[in-house]
């Protein structure tokens, strides 16, 4: 990975890196991983382009000189629209807002496009409503448009970056950036937190699909193209004067190198590897004038990037001459040693110019203001940060463009998912697909009867993956994707157009024997740490379509396997069972692009040639770092003709208990290493429930089996009133750290059924290292559930933190307490997101 060739596409400054790689003194750094101290002189010097005129810079300085201290502090804080109002913006002079993965106008992340534009106007007008003598500074709105304007219903959804990396087409990447920018402009936003330029080295990482490739040269070759597509070429012409928005490369630095692929973890690597592999994409980014750079949640050798002065100030801003804005990730400053979500002067000192403080912004504003006043934060550093915020706004043209609805492209809703935009996305799907096996069944010939099976065949949300309408991309149905095409719909259209027919049967049954079967299977959507996995394989329930392939094959029906996935995984059983195997990655809204590649033209020749090449190696086992089955750059072509197949070993190489670290209780039993107990409310006189029926606390709690999904798939609890109360608890001897899940707005989800009236409100608490921590949180919603109906009740983890719990050492994440008569059943307890819940507890949060 550290050869000179990896830098050939990284821009003119790559020569400097190549020279360093040849330097024995520099190379020796890799022998021992050093402490988190950098040597800026070893990093390349890069030319950041001129993006402001002299008059523009003079305007920035003139505004800065007139600003009050309160305005300055407000400008370096970004709040989430779920936690801030236009009136808040008016009062605190906030510099920016964002919409997180589950945020939308009026609390509706599925709100129509018109509501997004109306809210953009409201925030703008509030920011411009200032007192006498104060400069009016327009707000800027950032959004995670990471594969198209993917928060908006009806927008074009492109393949995620792992698929685009397979396409090997920088010109296509630029066109995708252009389309994305146009659709963002329709709803009034000005800034996207894209592109992700991570170089994933461990595909167990839940964000690996956001990276184009594990190869830094391939990533670097794409960066400039996407930035030009989004922002336009670097120029002193305002970005908003064209059909463009501000871009943001992320996450600086080495988020793709964390130990064991743990999201927000630590990259324990040498400075040489940090520079040559993970620093390479930032050279073309800076040369292309990227407007903003987002620092990572993660650490380098134990120091969080949000507070690493050496990397942010000395290397990025100093040695590499970056002239744009540096922003943190979502409350990432709260993970810095000595900091909290409410206070982090260390991040400002390190060189951070804007805090992404979604729900902590008000407390952070107060503490930062006080820290500037008492000298903890230097005024010179604050002024530098504010000047960079103002330069971004001047470069965008915000001071002169008027409110969002008055700008070009705003409100042209017909551009969302426009036919020419979808055509670009469909082309991207075709070019991203990688053919890994073909013994001769492909291309499918005209006039055939096609069976389409597999649980992923007719699910647009699943084929689109995370960061689609919601943070995790879950809880969505096809009706939320107007104008989009599922894989099944694309296949049916192609089969019919060829004179044949298609039948959809997820389990693989059929009414008339098909000429061939297409089985669509793979991962379900995830984002960030919820996608972290212990080994490179599908969860057991997601492997069921492989049995369908095997059954069809035994019936003599040719099988084409199409895998929906954000990463290469061990699937040898599927590769053996199928006659052809295609990696479709996460193709997005244009499922017709998959069908384009599978069917022949009228003359029987392939309608399109495969172009995709693996963006990283495909594993032979489920072990990270194990043997490779297909190397980086592998991909068959129709021109290669049919290829014979030698059966692969079907040994994953890892133990497989099907466990999921985010599930504590499922199908009525605790997960591995977890225990179910019933005790008094204070934890005494506990009974560990291992068999049912059972009685606890002298018979005043009766536990029995009941059905949910499967026979005896839940446990019922009949509780009699008592002054000492009763607690139902899930616990472990090895405490878990739920701080990042808490920061990420995750919920504790309980699949429950109320079986009898609940006389007095129930409450919940957690335990830390086996001891009580934090106050009990009243959860009145248990008593409000419809009797006899299963529902998923979500309790925000932040409620426990607000009650005083230390979320870094949770040994009991679920303690449900009652002191009155109550009857309820529990089937499952797990972590999840807002979209997974039927009802959400209204408990106090920070």
């Amino acid at each position: 990975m550290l050869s000179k060739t990896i830098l050939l596409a990284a821009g003119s400054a790559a020569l400097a890196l190549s020279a360093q790689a040849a330097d024995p003194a520099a190379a020796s750094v890799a022998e021992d991983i050093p402490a988190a101290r950098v040597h800026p002189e070893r990093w390349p010097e890069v030319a950041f382009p001129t993006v402001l005129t002299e008059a523009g810079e003079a305007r920035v300085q003139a505004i800065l000189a007139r600003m009050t201290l309160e305005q300055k502090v407000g400008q370096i804080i970004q709040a989430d629209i779920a936690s801030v109002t236009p009136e808040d913006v008016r009062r605190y002079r906030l510099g920016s807002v964002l919409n997180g993965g589950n945020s939308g106008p009026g609390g509706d992340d599925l709100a129509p496009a018109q509501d997004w534009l109306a809210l953009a106007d409201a925030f703008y007008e509030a920011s411009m409503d200032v007192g006498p003598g104060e400069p009016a500074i327009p707000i800027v709105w950032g959004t995670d448009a990471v594969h198209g304007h993917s928060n908006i219903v009806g927008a074009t959804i492109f393949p995620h970056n792992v698929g685009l990396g397979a396409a090997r087409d920088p010109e296509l990447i630029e066109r995708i950036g252009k389309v994305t920018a146009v659709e963002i402009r329709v709803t009034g936003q000005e800034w996207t937190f894209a592109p992700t330029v991570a170089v994933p080295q461990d595909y167990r990482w839940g964000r690996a699909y956001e990276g184009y490739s594990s190869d830094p040269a391939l990533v670097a070759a794409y960066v400039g193209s996407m930035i030009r597509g989004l922002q336009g070429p670097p120029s002193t012409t305002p970005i908003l004067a064209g059909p463009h928005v501000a871009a943001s490369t992320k996450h600086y630095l080495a988020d793709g190198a964390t130990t064991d692929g743990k999201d927000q973890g630590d990259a324990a690597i040498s400075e040489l590897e940090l520079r040559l592999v993970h620093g390479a994409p930032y050279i073309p980014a800076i040369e292309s004038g990227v407007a903003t750079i987002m620092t990572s949640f993660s650490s380098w050798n134990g120091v969080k990037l949000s507070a690493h002065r050496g990397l942010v100030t000395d290397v990025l801003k100093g040695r590499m001459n970056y002239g744009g804005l540096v922003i943190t990730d979502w409350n990432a400053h709260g993970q810095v040693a000595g900091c909290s979500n409410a206070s982090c002067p260390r991040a400002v000192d390190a060189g951070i110019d804007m805090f992404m403080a979604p729900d902590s912004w008000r407390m952070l504003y107060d503490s930062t203001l006080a820290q500037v006043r008492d000298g903890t934060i230097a005024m010179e550093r604050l002024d530098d940060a504010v000047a960079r915020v103002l330069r971004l706004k001047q470069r965008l043209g915000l001071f002169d463009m008027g409110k969002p609805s008055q700008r070009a492209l705003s409100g042209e809703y017909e551009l969302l998912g426009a036919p020419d935009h979808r055509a670009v996305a469909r082309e991207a799907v075709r070019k991203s697909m990688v053919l890994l096996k073909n013994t001769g069944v492909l291309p499918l010939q005209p006039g055939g009867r096609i069976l389409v099976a597999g649980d992923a065949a007719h699910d647009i949300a699943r084929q689109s993956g995370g960061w689609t309408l919601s943070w995790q991309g879950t809880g969505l149905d096809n009706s939320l994707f107007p104008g989009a095409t599922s894989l099944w719909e694309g296949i049916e259209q192609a089969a019919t157009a060829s004179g044949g027919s298609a039948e959809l049967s997820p389990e693989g049954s059929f009414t008339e024997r098909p000429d061939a079967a297409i089985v669509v299977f793979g991962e379900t959507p995830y984002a960030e740490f919820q996608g972290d996995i212990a080994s490179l394989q599908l969860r057991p329930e997601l492997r069921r379509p492989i049995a369908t392939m095997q059954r069809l094959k035994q019936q003599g029906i040719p099988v084409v396997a199409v895998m929906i996935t954000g990463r290469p995984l061990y699937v040898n059983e599927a590769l053996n069972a199928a006659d052809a195997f295609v990696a479709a990655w996460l193709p997005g809204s244009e499922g017709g692009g998959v069908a384009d590649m599978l069917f022949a033209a009228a003359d029987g020749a392939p309608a399109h040639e495969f172009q995709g090449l693996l963006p990283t190696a495909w594993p032979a086992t489920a072990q990270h770092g194990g043997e490779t089955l297909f190397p980086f750059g592998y991909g068959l072509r129709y021109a290669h003709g049919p290829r014979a197949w030698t059966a692969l070993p079907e040994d994953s190489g890892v133990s497989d208990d099907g466990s999921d670290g985010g599930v504590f209780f499922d199908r009525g039993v605790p997960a591995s290493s977890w225990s179910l107990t019933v005790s008094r409310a204070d934890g005494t006189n506990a009974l560990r429930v291992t068999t049912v029926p059972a009685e606890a606390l002298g018979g005043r709690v009766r536990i029995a089996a009941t059905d949910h999904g499967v026979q005896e798939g839940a446990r019922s609890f009949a509780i009699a009133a008592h002054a000492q109360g009763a607690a139902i608890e899930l616990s472990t001897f090895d405490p878990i750290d739920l701080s990042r899940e808490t920061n990420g707005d995750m919920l504790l989800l309980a699949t429950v059924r109320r079986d009898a009236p609940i006389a007095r409100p129930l409450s919940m608490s957690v335990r830390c290292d086996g001891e009580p921590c934090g106050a009990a949180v009243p959860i009145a919603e248990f008593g409000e559930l419809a009797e006899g109906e299963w529902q998923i009740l979500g309790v925000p983890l932040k409620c426990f933190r607000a009650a005083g719990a230390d979320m870094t050492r949770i040994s009991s994440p679920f303690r449900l307490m009652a002191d009155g008569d109550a009857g309820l059943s529990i089937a499952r307890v797990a972590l999840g997101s807002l979209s997974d819940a039927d009802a959400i507890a209204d408990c106090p949060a920070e």
Side-chain angles (χ1 to χ4, degrees):
M1 290 298 291
L2 300 184
S3 68
K4 298 178 186 178
T5 58
I6 67 174
L7 300 164
L8 294 179
S12 59
L15 295 176
L17 288 181
S18 253
Q20 289 291 343
D23 178 4
S28 67
V29 177
E31 296 176 5
D32 298 296
I33 295 176
R37 180 173 61 87
V38 294
H39 302 80
E41 70 279 2
R42 297 177 181 171
W43 291 70
E45 291 189 88
V46 186
F48 188 73
T50 300
V51 293
L52 287 186
T53 62
E54 290 184 7
E57 178 62 26
R59 186 180 195 180
V60 166
Q61 296 302 324
I63 294 171
L64 182 64
R66 295 170 54 207
M67 293 173 68
T68 65
L69 177 58
E70 290 80 4
Q71 274 190 305
K72 290 179 179 179
V73 171
Q75 284 299 301
I76 69 168
I77 292 176
Q78 182 183 67
D80 183 73
I81 63 172
S83 302
V84 70
T85 66
E87 179 54 37
D88 292 328
V89 168
R90 179 182 291 107
R91 177 180 176 185
Y92 290 93
R93 305 294 186 234
L94 298 181
S96 181
V97 293
L98 83 151
N99 58 282
N102 289 319
S103 302
D108 181 8
D109 58 347
L110 302 175
Q114 293 87 341
D115 291 1
W116 292 81
L117 182 55
L119 185 59
D121 272 355
F123 279 125
Y124 174 87
E125 289 166 347
S127 70
M128 300 299 282
D129 184 8
V130 298
E134 289 187 16
I137 303 172
I139 201 162
V140 60
W141 183 338
T143 185
D144 279 296
V146 295
H147 63 138
H149 196 18
S150 51
N151 292 282
I152 306 298
V153 172
T156 307
I157 309 298
F158 290 94
H160 269 296
N161 284 356
V162 64
L164 298 181
R168 304 296 206 275
D169 191 336
E171 186 273 335
L172 171 64
I173 299 304
E174 184 168 343
R175 286 190 281 131
I176 290 171
K178 289 179 179 178
V179 169
T180 302
V182 166
E183 297 202 11
I184 293 171
R185 291 288 298 275
V186 169
T187 56
Q189 289 70 52
E190 306 99 354
W191 177 13
T192 175
F193 304 131
T196 300
V197 298
V199 187
Q201 302 299 293
D202 187 333
Y203 279 78
R204 293 175 296 178
W205 182 37
R207 304 195 77 157
Y209 65 80
E210 296 185 51
Y212 295 115
S213 173
S214 61
D215 178 72
L218 177 53
V219 178
Y222 273 18
V223 174
S225 296
M226 180 58 81
I227 292 171
R228 284 191 300 275
L230 291 167
Q231 295 187 170
S235 168
T236 57
T237 300
I239 290 173
L240 296 181
H244 302 299
V245 295
S248 182
T249 46
K250 62 183 186 183
H251 303 86
Y252 184 84
L253 187 64
D255 52 339
T258 57
T259 301
D260 296 328
K262 183 179 180 181
D263 189 45
Q264 304 182 21
D266 184 47
I269 59 175
S270 70
E271 185 180 1
L272 181 67
E273 185 175 349
L274 181 74
R275 174 165 49 89
L276 293 186
V277 176
H278 304 281
Y282 286 89
I283 299 171
I286 294 170
E287 291 179 331
S288 299
V290 67
T292 68
I293 290 176
M294 185 186 296
T295 54
S296 180
F297 277 113
S298 58
S299 307
W300 177 55
N301 288 333
V303 177
K304 287 288 183 180
L305 267 296
S306 297
H308 201 302
R309 182 179 177 86
L311 285 171
V312 176
T313 294
D314 299 340
V315 169
L316 182 61
K317 293 181 173 180
R319 179 68 171 180
M320 298 180 78
N321 298 305
Y322 179 58
L325 170 76
V326 179
I327 183 172
T328 66
D329 207 335
W330 182 282
N331 275 336
H333 60 276
Q335 298 184 9
V336 171
C339 290
S340 68
N341 287 357
S343 174
C344 194
R346 186 178 171 190
V348 180
D349 180 67
I352 295 299
D353 302 311
M354 182 177 282
F355 289 104
M356 186 184 291
D359 53 358
S360 60
W361 64 267
R362 186 178 282 106
M363 295 179 291
L364 186 65
Y365 173 92
D366 291 338
S367 66
T368 304
L369 185 61
Q371 288 154 5
V372 178
R373 284 174 171 160
D374 68 17
T376 302
I377 295 175
M379 181 61 74
E380 181 181 11
R381 174 74 268 272
L382 176 64
D383 281 349
D384 173 61
V386 175
R388 288 174 181 261
V389 175
L390 296 177
R391 288 187 190 109
L392 170 63
K393 295 180 177 185
Q394 174 67 17
R395 182 180 176 190
L396 279 164
L398 287 176
F399 292 103
D400 305 304
M401 294 290 177
K403 64 182 180 180
S405 63
Q406 295 175 336
R407 303 170 194 161
L409 303 176
S410 291
E412 296 185 27
Y413 302 115
E414 68 278 6
L415 293 174
L416 294 172
D420 57 332
H421 295 179
R422 294 189 183 277
V424 175
R426 187 163 180 162
E427 176 188 349
V429 174
R430 289 196 297 267
K431 291 182 173 178
S432 67
M433 292 174 63
V434 179
L435 181 63
L436 296 178
K437 177 183 180 181
N438 185 23
T439 60
V441 64
L442 290 179
L444 299 170
Q445 293 300 301
R449 290 188 300 273
I450 307 300
L451 172 67
V452 180
D455 53 11
H458 192 36
D459 190 333
I460 298 171
R462 185 162 173 184
Q463 71 193 43
S464 298
W467 296 109
T468 305
L469 300 187
S470 68
W471 176 35
Q472 295 294 317
T474 56
L476 310 170
D477 60 48
N478 288 354
S479 68
L480 294 170
F481 297 89
T485 305
S486 71
L487 268 65
W488 151 248
E489 291 167 330
I491 293 166
E492 182 186 33
Q493 292 166 12
T496 302
S498 78
S501 62
E503 178 181 358
L504 177 64
S505 173
E507 75 285 358
S509 62
F510 50 83
T511 56
E512 188 174 3
R513 182 180 177 85
D515 296 307
I518 300 172
V519 181
V520 186
F521 77 113
E523 293 191 293
T524 51
Y526 53 83
E528 298 193 58
F529 46 81
Q530 287 206 50
D532 288 357
I533 54 177
S535 57
L536 294 170
Q537 60 184 334
L538 293 168
R539 299 194 309 271
E541 70 271 19
L542 298 179
R543 303 173 205 161
R544 293 169 188 159
I546 299 175
T548 301
M549 298 179 205
Q550 293 167 337
R551 187 176 67 253
L552 291 167
K553 186 69 175 294
Q554 290 169 357
Q555 294 174 274
I557 297 169
V559 174
V560 178
V562 176
M563 187 173 183
I564 300 297
T565 184
R567 50 195 157 199
L569 296 172
Y570 164 80
V571 284
N572 284 12
E573 292 93 340
L575 282 159
N576 283 336
D579 297 283
F581 189 105
V582 177
W585 312 109
L586 298 170
S589 61
E590 306 313 302
V594 174
D596 289 343
M597 302 304 300
L598 303 182
F599 285 83
D603 62 0
H608 298 274
E609 178 59 281
F610 277 93
Q611 175 176 315
L613 302 173
L614 287 179
T616 191
W618 194 284
T621 72
Q623 294 176 311
H624 168 68
E627 294 182 8
T628 291
L629 180 59
F630 301 115
F632 167 82
Y634 183 85
L636 298 177
R637 302 284 186 266
Y638 278 129
H640 294 153
R643 293 213 169 177
W645 181 259
T646 301
L648 300 171
E650 296 186 359
D651 179 3
S652 69
V654 300
S655 60
D656 181 17
D657 60 5
S659 63
D660 185 333
V663 177
F664 311 117
F665 186 78
D666 194 22
R667 299 196 175 198
V669 296
S672 175
S673 81
W674 291 85
S675 298
L676 171 65
T677 60
V678 174
S679 68
R680 294 172 180 159
D682 63 4
T684 60
N685 202 20
L687 169 72
R688 182 178 178 184
V689 181
T690 56
T691 60
V692 288
E695 291 186 351
L697 304 180
R700 59 186 179 85
V701 179
R702 300 190 308 277
I703 308 104
T706 188
D707 296 342
H708 176 265
V710 296
Q711 187 174 2
E712 299 191 356
R715 296 293 177 262
S716 66
F717 300 84
I719 303 171
H722 196 279
Q724 294 177 326
I728 302 167
E729 180 174 349
L730 293 166
S731 60
T732 183
F733 288 111
D734 298 313
I736 57 176
D737 182 351
L738 294 180
S739 57
R740 63 177 182 170
E741 288 83 352
T742 305
N743 185 49
D745 287 329
M746 291 186 67
L747 288 75
L748 188 69
L749 299 173
T751 302
V752 295
R753 182 187 66 197
R754 185 170 68 82
D755 300 326
I758 293 178
R760 294 170 56 83
L762 306 185
S763 61
M764 292 185 68
S765 67
V766 297
R767 285 181 177 262
C768 304
D769 294 326
E771 300 295 330
C773 61
V777 178
I779 309 293
E781 287 76 8
F782 279 106
E784 298 168 0
L785 297 173
E787 188 169 326
E789 295 183 13
W790 287 101
Q791 289 186 276
I792 301 175
L793 178 61
V795 182
L797 294 176
K798 285 184 176 179
C799 295
F800 301 119
R801 186 170 70 185
D806 179 355
M807 303 304 291
T808 66
R809 50 190 187 93
I810 299 297
S811 56
S812 299
F814 181 89
R815 293 194 79 242
L816 182 63
M817 295 169 287
D819 56 13
D821 290 338
L824 75 161
S825 297
I826 304 174
R828 191 171 193 266
V829 177
L831 299 177
S833 59
L834 289 167
S835 59
D836 299 320
D838 297 319
I840 299 172
D842 184 18
C843 49
E846 300 100 331

